[in-house]
């Protein structure tokens, strides 16, 4: 799915701003024609979650309506017009001038509907979008599950550890394309000696025959090839002599333009390869470490809404720590963020919203599987051309019903959800690999989860809380257990290992000597200890701290002030002691290293 752009043939009108807003807890809006306008509406910012914009809406996740009036430029008449929503969390229904034009299930991914015939050219158009994020057991991610958690239950009742922010989280835009237009472009890059190669596939919206051209430009060089569309599809191979490759340390981007006689579309392309060989992940044929964080789209007031200044700041802070990678835990991040990752040279593990999947019954599993497959399809369609995206992640901490944190070695045999889960997860991994054989695929495992769920992964990704949820306060013992477990995992799989989560809740400003849990010293020592263990293991291909910054979680006796405080930065982005530890390992030690040890190893 192409990101809407403005050029000489395509137009775009961003409807970000203040919209009218009203909650609809009794679900009368459709019947009463709220799509024509809202009585007694209050103002709300789009993009943004509604929960932090009004205190009385903090815990409200059910149906709500957004309305905005806009003229459409008269010069657009004669072109096809679409409305595109970057993310409506969780279910969005779009109306234009009273007509329902489409609906979409699932947050964090874009959707678009053609509205050419619904537009008024001589008057204001009424755009209405209803959104609801009701927590339901069959949704992905799921909520309101019946569990026996008792006093450990959270409010709102999620199955996951972040606040279920709701609303229009990313821009709503109107855009135009010509009658016959370039609907999709896929670019696969390769390296042949000093040359770069690009296999470009372009698809029109109709199965027409047409002629076109693809051009790659960058620096002083331009490379072109003809595109002969047959049944709406054309393919071309480009070779770039002495290509300037894309990498985390030198994120060079070319402009790739696909052109027909009617349409033109330009996107940024980085030439790079990604692969696994033995214990290493190889970027452009050389071993690379994916060091960084698990993160969240989360901030005061904007919630999960796209917040561009914050995005720029977060990239700067990540770079300051020396990070070169992160995982989009636990859902796809904004397209603007992926573009910035291409430009700034971050290596992304791109994850669908399948957090804490459970497999308690065939019926619920089937419903969730349908949704996960849709999310993989939509994510790959959206992000397949980003150089930064090196790995698809199809699940975070799926868990069998018999999982017992208090008894990690307990056998799960006889638990039908283990077999159900294996089939489910294999299906997801296969789908991702089938859609995109050029990237790595993985899922992220939970402590004590079934070993064989990792079988189909290219890279073993592990979330481990030795020294926090298990052996808290006993760092030496915890680190010994970590080392033992890591070696065991390597022995079993012989695949590169990334620790995708390890972390300790830390109240900024709390200090202690000795370094008791919750102090900045404990978090600093905890992270130092983990990095030291990992530094001794050739097969560890990345360390990703949980979390980059403190973030809004649900209320429970586990979360002070409703925050998960495992950030190395506070929610306001002030560094804790641990941020300096990361800088010491990832910047200072790296700079002090006489030769590139990794390159030598390769
Ligand atoms: C995890 C989850 C993450 C939580 C984290 C924690 O394993 O993947 O979503 O926030 O633990 O802090 O408990």
């Amino acid at each position: 799915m192409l990101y809407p752009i403005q050029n000489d043939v395509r137009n775009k009108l961003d409807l970000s701003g203040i919209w009218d807003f009203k909650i609809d807890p009794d679900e009368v809006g459709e019947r009463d024609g709220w799509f024509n306008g809202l009585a007694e509406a209050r103002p709300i910012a789009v993009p943004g979650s509604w929960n932090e914009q009004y205190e009385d809406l903090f815990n409200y996740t059910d149906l709500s309506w957004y309305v905005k009036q806009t003229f459409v430029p008269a010069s657009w008449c004669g072109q096809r017009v679409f409305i595109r929503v970057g993310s409506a969390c969780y279910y969005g229904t779009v109306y234009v001038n009273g007509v329902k034009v489409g609906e979409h299930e699932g947050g964090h991914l874009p959707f678009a509907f053609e509205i050419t015939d619904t537009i008024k050219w001589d008057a204001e158009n009424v755009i209405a979008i209803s959104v609801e994020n009701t927590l339901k057991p069959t949704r992905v991610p799921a909520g309101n599950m019946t569990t026996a958690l008792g006093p450990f239950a959270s409010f709102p009742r999620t199955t996951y550890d972040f606040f279920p922010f709701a609303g229009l989280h990313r821009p709503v835009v109107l855009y135009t394309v010509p009658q016959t237009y370039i609907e999709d472009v896929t670019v696969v890059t390769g390296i042949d000696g000093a040359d770069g190669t690009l296999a470009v596939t372009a698809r029109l919206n109709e199965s027409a025959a047409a002629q076109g051209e693809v051009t790659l430009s960058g620096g002083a060089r331009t490379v072109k090839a003809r595109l002969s569309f047959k049944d709406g599809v054309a393919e071309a191979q480009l070779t770039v002599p002495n290509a300037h490759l894309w990498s985390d340390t030198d994120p060079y981007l070319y402009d790739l333009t696909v052109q027909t006689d009617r349409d033109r579309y330009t996107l940024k392309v980085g030439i790079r390869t990604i692969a696994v060989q033995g214990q290493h992940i190889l970027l452009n044929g050389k071993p690379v470490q994916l060091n960084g964080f698990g993160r969240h789209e989360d901030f005061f007031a904007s919630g999960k809404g796209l917040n561009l200044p914050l995005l720029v700041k977060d990239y700067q802070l990540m770079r300051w720590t020396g990070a070169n990678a992160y995982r989009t835990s636990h859902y796809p991040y904004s397209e603007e963020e992926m573009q910035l990752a291409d430009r700034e040279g971050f290596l992304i593990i791109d994850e669908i919203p399948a957090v804490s999947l459970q497999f308690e019954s065939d019926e619920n599993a089937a419903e969730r599987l349908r949704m996960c497959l849709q999310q993989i399809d939509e994510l790959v369609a959206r992000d397949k051309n980003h150089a930064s995206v090196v790995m698809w992640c199809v699940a975070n901490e799926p868990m069998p019903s018999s999982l017992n944190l208090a008894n990690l070695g307990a056998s799960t045999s006889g638990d039908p959800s283990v077999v159900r889960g294996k089939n489910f997860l294999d299906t997801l991994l296969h789908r991702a690999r089938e859609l995109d054989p050029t990237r790595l695929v993985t899922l992220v495992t939970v402590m004590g989860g079934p070993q064989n769920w990792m079988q189909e992964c290219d890279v073993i990704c592990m979330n481990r809380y030795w020294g926090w949820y298990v052996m808290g306060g006993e760092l030496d013992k915890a680190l010994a257990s970590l080392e033992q477990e890591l070696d065991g995992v390597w022995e079993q799989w012989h695949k590169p290992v990334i620790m995708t989560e390890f972390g300790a809740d830390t109240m900024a400003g709390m200090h202690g000597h000795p370094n008791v849990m919750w102090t900045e010293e404990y978090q600093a020592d905890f992270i130092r200890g983990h990095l030291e263990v990992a530094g001794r293991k050739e097969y560890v291909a990345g360390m990703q701290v949980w979390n980059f910054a403190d973030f809004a979680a649900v209320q429970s006796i586990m979360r002070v002030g409703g925050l998960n405080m495992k950030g190395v930065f506070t929610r306001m982005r002030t560094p804790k002691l641990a941020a300096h530890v990361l800088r010491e390992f990832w910047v200072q030690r790296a700079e002090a290293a006489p030769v590139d040890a990794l390159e030598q190893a390769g």
Side-chain angles (χ1 to χ4, degrees):
M1 180 186 219
L2 298 180
Y3 185 74
I5 59 165
Q6 175 73 58
N7 62 15
D8 54 337
V9 272
R10 291 175 169 232
N11 290 297
K12 162 164 127 166
L13 179 65
D14 189 337
L15 299 180
S16 296
I18 301 294
W19 290 47
D20 280 348
F21 180 81
K22 192 171 177 173
I23 61 168
D24 185 9
D26 301 323
E27 302 191 6
V28 297
E30 170 117 54
R31 183 196 70 198
D32 293 351
W34 289 17
F35 37 73
N36 293 317
L38 298 173
E40 291 161 30
R42 45 181 159 179
I44 201 137
V46 174
S49 302
W50 67 61
N51 312 77
E52 288 218 17
Q53 295 186 54
Y54 289 99
E55 171 264 319
D56 63 307
L57 300 183
F58 185 59
N59 290 307
Y60 184 79
T61 54
D62 292 337
L63 189 64
S64 297
W65 290 75
Y66 291 79
V67 174
K68 177 100 176 158
Q69 308 226 353
T70 182
F71 274 98
V72 175
S75 58
W76 289 14
C77 198
Q79 300 184 48
R80 302 174 86 135
V81 183
F82 286 75
I83 184 167
R84 188 180 195 270
V85 180
S87 160
C89 221
Y90 178 87
Y91 199 106
T93 308
V94 181
Y95 305 78
V96 175
N97 298 325
V99 177
K100 188 196 276 191
V101 295
E103 51 203 309
H104 180 265
E105 185 181 5
H108 318 284
L109 286 159
F111 51 94
F113 307 116
E114 183 165 9
I115 56 169
T116 314
D117 297 336
T118 323
I119 284 187
K120 289 184 190 157
W121 295 100
D122 53 357
E124 280 203 307
N125 293 269
V126 184
I127 312 286
I129 306 179
S130 72
V131 181
E132 54 91 354
N133 190 19
T134 306
L135 305 182
K136 296 183 185 172
T138 48
R139 288 190 159 174
V140 179
N144 264 325
M145 306 261 296
T146 28
T147 52
L149 287 174
F152 295 99
S154 63
F155 178 72
R157 239 182 135 79
T158 57
T159 55
Y160 46 92
D161 184 32
F162 56 91
F163 194 84
F165 282 114
L168 293 173
H169 287 154
R170 297 180 190 151
V172 177
V173 303
L174 303 184
Y175 70 92
T176 71
V177 288
Q179 293 301 328
T180 302
Y181 63 97
I182 300 159
E183 192 171 55
D184 196 25
V185 177
T186 308
V187 185
V188 174
T189 66
I191 302 173
D192 183 6
D195 301 344
T197 60
L198 293 95
V200 180
T201 308
R203 187 164 46 80
L204 303 176
N205 62 310
E206 55 193 27
S207 68
Q211 292 302 312
E213 192 173 65
V214 53
T215 311
L216 186 82
S217 55
R221 192 178 292 284
T222 299
V223 182
K224 287 179 196 269
R226 284 194 70 75
L227 289 172
S228 292
F229 288 89
K230 199 168 161 279
D231 298 330
V233 179
E235 290 175 353
Q237 298 285 334
L238 297 177
T239 300
V240 188
N242 272 319
H244 192 159
L245 302 183
W246 183 95
S247 73
D248 55 328
T249 52
D250 181 15
Y252 186 80
L253 294 170
Y254 288 89
D255 285 318
L256 183 124
T257 301
V258 173
Q259 186 163 346
T260 63
D261 56 347
R262 301 274 166 74
D263 196 9
R264 178 177 12 260
Y265 191 86
T266 302
L267 67 155
K268 298 278 181 198
V269 171
I271 301 176
R272 59 111 185 91
T273 58
I274 190 82
V276 155
Q277 193 181 70
Q279 56 194 356
H280 295 302
I281 296 176
L282 304 181
L283 177 69
N284 303 334
K286 293 187 194 139
V288 68
Q289 293 275 313
L290 275 65
N291 288 330
F293 304 95
R295 299 174 60 210
H296 268 295
E297 288 183 322
D298 174 87
F299 200 58
F300 170 73
S302 50
K304 289 212 174 308
L306 176 65
N307 182 332
L308 293 174
L310 180 72
L311 223 144
V312 172
K313 185 171 183 66
D314 282 358
Y315 272 61
Q316 181 220 317
L317 291 177
M318 285 194 289
R319 273 285 180 230
W320 178 80
T321 65
N324 69 341
Y326 66 87
R327 176 169 62 114
T328 69
S329 45
H330 294 307
Y331 38 80
Y333 291 2
S334 69
E335 292 160 284
E336 293 74 12
E337 170 121 33
M338 295 295 103
Q339 290 161 5
L340 200 56
D342 289 345
R343 180 171 171 168
E344 294 291 299
F346 277 83
L347 303 168
I348 309 293
I349 304 176
D350 208 358
E351 184 165 289
I352 63 163
V355 42
S356 312
L357 280 171
Q358 298 182 42
F359 313 99
E360 74 285 3
S361 71
D362 282 332
E363 207 183 10
N364 285 357
E367 184 55 20
R368 291 186 200 121
L369 182 64
R370 176 189 66 78
M371 197 57 209
C372 287
L373 290 171
Q374 179 189 319
Q375 288 165 341
I376 292 174
D377 292 354
E378 291 182 3
L379 179 64
V380 174
R382 193 194 76 160
D383 285 354
K384 64 185 171 185
N385 293 324
H386 286 291
S388 54
V389 174
V390 294
M391 208 179 313
W392 304 114
C393 177
V394 303
N396 174 76
E397 299 198 349
M399 50 187 79
S401 310
S402 51
L403 185 77
N404 183 355
L405 248 198
N407 183 6
L408 285 176
S411 159
T412 50
S413 69
D415 175 357
S417 72
V418 173
V419 178
R420 205 179 281 126
K422 168 90 168 111
N423 293 335
F424 187 114
L425 297 166
D426 282 356
T427 308
L428 300 189
L429 291 163
H430 293 163
R431 173 72 73 107
R433 203 187 295 284
E434 176 194 324
L435 289 175
D436 181 6
T438 73
R439 288 184 174 81
L440 310 177
V441 298
T442 195
L443 57 81
V444 167
T445 63
V446 66
M447 267 183 119
Q451 291 292 310
N452 71 345
W453 285 4
M454 309 179 208
Q455 197 174 350
E456 300 290 316
C457 297
D458 292 318
V459 176
I460 304 296
C461 289
M462 302 166 51
N463 294 352
R464 293 298 183 268
Y465 285 91
W466 297 107
W468 190 254
Y469 294 121
V470 181
M471 300 178 189
E474 301 177 274
L475 263 188
D476 290 346
K477 207 169 138 192
L479 291 171
S481 300
L482 167 72
E483 185 155 6
Q484 196 185 351
E485 191 189 7
L486 281 172
D487 286 340
V489 166
W490 165 250
E491 277 314 313
Q492 179 168 6
W493 299 111
H494 283 89
K495 294 179 185 183
V497 175
I498 297 179
M499 284 203 70
T500 33
E501 287 185 24
F502 58 101
D505 280 276
T506 305
M507 181 80 79
M510 181 175 276
H511 292 280
H513 184 60
N515 60 357
V516 295
M517 291 171 80
W518 289 91
T519 63
E520 293 201 27
E521 285 77 5
Y522 188 81
Q523 184 189 36
D525 290 342
F526 177 104
I527 288 178
R528 179 186 301 282
H530 278 70
L531 295 184
E532 279 168 358
V533 170
R536 297 196 287 272
K537 310 289 165 194
E538 270 291 317
Y539 57 77
V540 172
M543 294 296 283
Q544 304 198 341
V545 179
W546 190 258
N547 187 283
F548 169 68
D550 295 348
F551 59 92
V554 286
Q555 297 178 64
S556 81
I557 57 171
M558 305 268 286
R559 298 287 171 253
V560 180
L563 292 180
N564 182 311
M565 294 195 174
K566 295 192 185 71
V568 299
F569 292 89
T570 64
R571 202 179 187 207
M572 297 307 288
R573 281 27 182 191
T574 309
K576 302 179 190 173
L577 272 184
H580 296 274
V581 173
L582 294 177
R583 201 171 144 69
E584 177 196 322
F585 274 78
W586 292 340
V587 178
Q588 287 145 9
R589 289 192 190 196
E591 277 170 7
V595 281
D596 188 338
L598 274 177
E599 273 200 35
Q600 263 194 352

